[in-house]
Amino acid sequence: MGQKKDLTGSEKSKIVRYLAEGCSSLKVAKLLKRDHRTIKRFTQNSQQGRKKRVEKPRNKITAHELRKVKRAAAKMPLATSLAIFQSCNITGVPKSTRCAILRDMAKVRKAERRPPLNKTHKLKRQDWAKKYLKTDFSKVLWTDEMRVSLDGPDGWARGWIGKGQRAPVRLRRQQGGGGVLVWAGIVKDELVEPFRVEDGVKLNSQSYCQFLEDTFFKQWYRKKSASFKKNMIFMQDNAPSHTSKYSTAWLARKGIKEEKLMTWPPCSPDLNPIENLWSIIKCEIYKEGKQYTSLNSVWEAVVAAARNVDGEQIKTLTESMDGRLLSVLAKKGGYIGR
């Protein structure tokens, strides 16, 4: 028995018209003198729609495509693997393969956060570097404040989880659940406390000076020798509470004035070695995505982490200043990283 002919285009059009008029598939088969099963098969295929051709995933790319991907990754920092491969017109490569290919030539990084530097900022940074190029930085007391929250920085709560295990629950709270303001200093190989700013106190000129009086001067500075006080250079950044006329005059009455008070260039956290100390402490207190339930608990974690920082680590930070100054001059006042 010979194979029956497929439905013609004319027959398909008639089937659609008859069905639209309310005819059953059996009646359509009789009108067209076609087998009922043929009509039913056509209607079923029409309802399912035409199957799209599925492209098989590619597990490899050519050497030429690999070179294109490498160039695209260099030109498109922070782009996704999909965007990089699409820019090279390479399709059909699954995400796992794309990431494996990119892992050999790139790393997943976050964008660096840094203050904007204009021409004036760069000139002031160069002038600052030239002024202090011959300074004995072992005599400089580097100070700064840091705020620590109960939840820690976003994106730090990541890590490997075994197969079959569920990810631990992480609390979501506004503004990280609140936080504690911490002040500290480093000089040579010594860490100056840290000290905790009283909860709810906003540091303006008056409260900043009172805070230094109650903590730094009474609890640490007064214990130092006369020769140390004579040679020490006090560094603070350009926060309004630090550089106001009130604060400047108050520090002068404490003997910290003129050459004993370091001038600081604008937008320059990369030049302050204590910023690196804050990074060390934060990495310790927020490791493995740790969160805290009270301000006292996060403060206790800061104190414990600070005690674990040894003198050699602090000495490495303070001794890095000569290199930082040379880097600023080499980059014509540009940002040097930390």
Side-chain angles (χ1 to χ4, degrees), residues 56 175 229 278 297:
K56 293 183 179 180
Q175 298 181 353
K229 295 176 181 178
W278 296 143
S297 63

Side-chain angles (χ1 to χ4, degrees), residues 6 15 17 47 53 76 124 128 136 164 170 172 177 184 194 208 222-223 232 236 252 271 306-307 318 330 336:
D6 293 335
I15 293 171
R17 189 173 73 251
Q47 291 172 357
R53 182 182 175 185
M76 302 168 62
K124 288 184 177 181
W128 177 85
D136 180 2
R170 184 169 175 82
R172 294 185 64 182
Y208 172 66
R222 71 176 184 178
K223 299 176 183 178
M232 186 198 77
Q236 58 183 1
L271 301 180
R307 286 174 182 165
T318 56
I336 65 169

Side-chain angles (χ1 to χ4, degrees), residues 167-279:
V169 176
R170 184 169 175 82
L171 301 176
R172 294 185 64 182
R173 296 175 284 202
Q174 289 186 347
Q175 298 181 353
V180 174
L181 187 61
V182 180
W183 183 97
I186 55 175
V187 55
K188 197 175 181 180
D189 59 355
E190 184 177 358
L191 172 62
V192 183
E193 288 307 320
F195 296 109
R196 176 180 177 177
V197 178
E198 186 178 348
D199 297 340
V201 173
K202 184 178 180 181
L203 283 186
N204 54 29
S205 300
Q206 290 79 9
S207 58
Y208 172 66
C209 294
Q210 187 61 51
F211 170 78
L212 291 181
E213 175 67 31
D214 295 339
T215 56
F216 169 69
F217 282 102
K218 286 185 178 180
Q219 300 181 39
W220 188 84
Y221 186 72
R222 71 176 184 178
K223 299 176 183 178
K224 294 298 177 181
S225 64
S227 61
F228 174 85
K229 295 176 181 178
K230 180 180 178 181
N231 296 318
M232 186 198 77
I233 300 174
F234 188 83
M235 174 272 155
Q236 58 183 1
D237 61 24
N238 293 323
S241 59
H242 299 173
T243 57
S244 66
K245 291 182 179 179
Y246 181 94
S247 299
T248 303
W250 186 86
L251 287 171
R253 291 196 295 271
K254 293 288 185 179
I256 299 177
K257 57 183 177 180
E258 298 173 351
E259 295 302 316
K260 289 178 62 60
L261 180 62
M262 177 178 280
T263 58
W264 193 247
C267 303
S268 300
D270 56 316
L271 301 180
N272 191 352
I274 200 173
E275 295 287 351
N276 300 90
L277 174 70
W278 296 143
S279 297

